[in-house]
Structures are given as C-alpha cells and as structure tokens.
Amino acid sequence: MASIKGYELKNVKTFQGREWRGIQGSIYHNGKKVGWYSDPGDGGMADIDLYLPKEKDGNQRAEREQQLAAAVKKYYTEYPLRGEYARLAPDAELFFGALIQLSQDEKIYKKVSQNGYGHIVFYRKNKNEPNESYIAFRDKGAMEEFIERGEFEEMRRYDSAEDFVIR
C-alpha cells in the first residue's frame, strides 16, 4: 500500500464535490490509525484531524502534529516542490495530496502490472493539458528511451511496487 514516511490513507472514499472530486479517508501512521482526512471538493482547504488517543497524557495530539510536521519537512526536503508549486510552503495538506496521488498511481500500476507491464510513466507534456497521460512498458530499456525522447512538464516513473513506499 502506498505510504510516505510511514503515513497511509485507508478506507478512502471519493465523491463529487462542488468544485472538484472530494476524498475522505482514515490516516494511519506506522500501521496505527491516528486521524481522519477530508477534502470535500468545495474549493476550500482539506480537514486533517489527528485523533486524541485514549491515553491520559494530554500532549499526545501535539506530539502527533509534531510527528506529521517532521514527516512533511523531511519529505519535501528530499522531494522539493516544483513548477508553479515551488513558491508554496510545504504543509500537511500538500503532503496528503502527494500521498493521494501516489495511491492513485499505485492503483493503476497494479492493474497494468498484472498484464506484465512492470514499468510505468505518468506525464504531462505541457501545463495546458487538463489531464495526465500514462504509458506502461514491459521492458525498462523501452521506458528509459521514452523518457529520454520526451520533453515533459511533469513526469513520474515507477519500476516496481516498492516505489510506492517512500521511507
């Protein structure tokens, strides 16, 4: 299952919001349910609620928020924002957006890999294209050749199921 720095979204539900597709799901960290994510698709910000556990220590929520902030910082240090997003300060909402994208990519990868296509490239040739495209390959060399020839505005590549776990 797709994860970034130990965070996963499970029990994900999608629906049509007023502005775009909404998404909700449970937040897990290192296998333990720690919160709830909800983007209602109404043009506003997503809600990220880290549960207060049943332990008596009242600092647990603050600790979870600090853990999430540290994961966000570490992830965006390793994978800086690019293009039009480069001017933004990375935050938890962007982090979970990246996790949702990774999960959606993984779903497509699993589907095509069942037919022997173990390499996949998601791309957008220019920023005016409304949708991304993807192409799957059986041979890594053919994928490398495709990437070399292409001039992409955006591109993500995956060579194995392990690429969907970012440690």
Side-chain angles (χ1 to χ4, degrees), residues 58-70:
N59 295 325
Q60 291 290 319
R61 184 181 295 259
E63 287 176 23
R64 287 201 175 142
E65 288 172 354
Q66 289 171 358
Q67 284 177 333
L68 178 57

Side-chain angles (χ1 to χ4, degrees), residues 1 9 23 32 39 46 52 73-74 76-77 82-83 90 96 104 117 122 128 136 140 145 161 163 165:
M1 173 167 259
L9 279 177
I23 188 165
K32 183 178 179 184
D39 179 350
L52 189 61
K73 183 176 181 180
K74 188 173 182 181
Y76 285 107
T77 298
R82 295 188 181 141
F96 282 108
Q104 291 170 342
Y117 295 91
F122 292 87
N128 295 326
K140 186 174 182 174
E145 189 178 313
D163 290 344
V165 177

Side-chain angles (χ1 to χ4, degrees), residues 97-162:
L99 180 56
I100 290 165
Q101 183 67 64
L102 187 66
S103 297
Q104 291 170 342
D105 290 355
E106 181 185 40
K107 192 179 289 186
I108 295 169
Y109 177 83
K110 283 180 177 180
K111 188 175 177 181
V112 300
S113 67
Q114 289 176 347
N115 294 320
Y117 295 91
H119 311 280
I120 192 167
V121 177
F122 292 87
Y123 64 93
R124 183 173 284 138
K125 290 213 178 231
N126 66 60
K127 63 184 175 185
N128 295 326
E129 290 180 16
N131 298 311
E132 276 187 326
S133 299
Y134 72 87
I135 186 168
F137 300 90
R138 292 177 195 253
D139 178 61
K140 186 174 182 174
M143 180 185 68
E144 297 288 350
E145 189 178 313
F146 174 78
I147 292 170
E148 231 175 83
R149 285 189 322 230
E151 292 182 22
F152 308 111
E153 180 76 23
E154 297 174 16
M155 186 209 53
R156 295 180 311 282
R157 64 177 280 173
Y158 303 100
D159 293 311
S160 75
E162 293 176 18

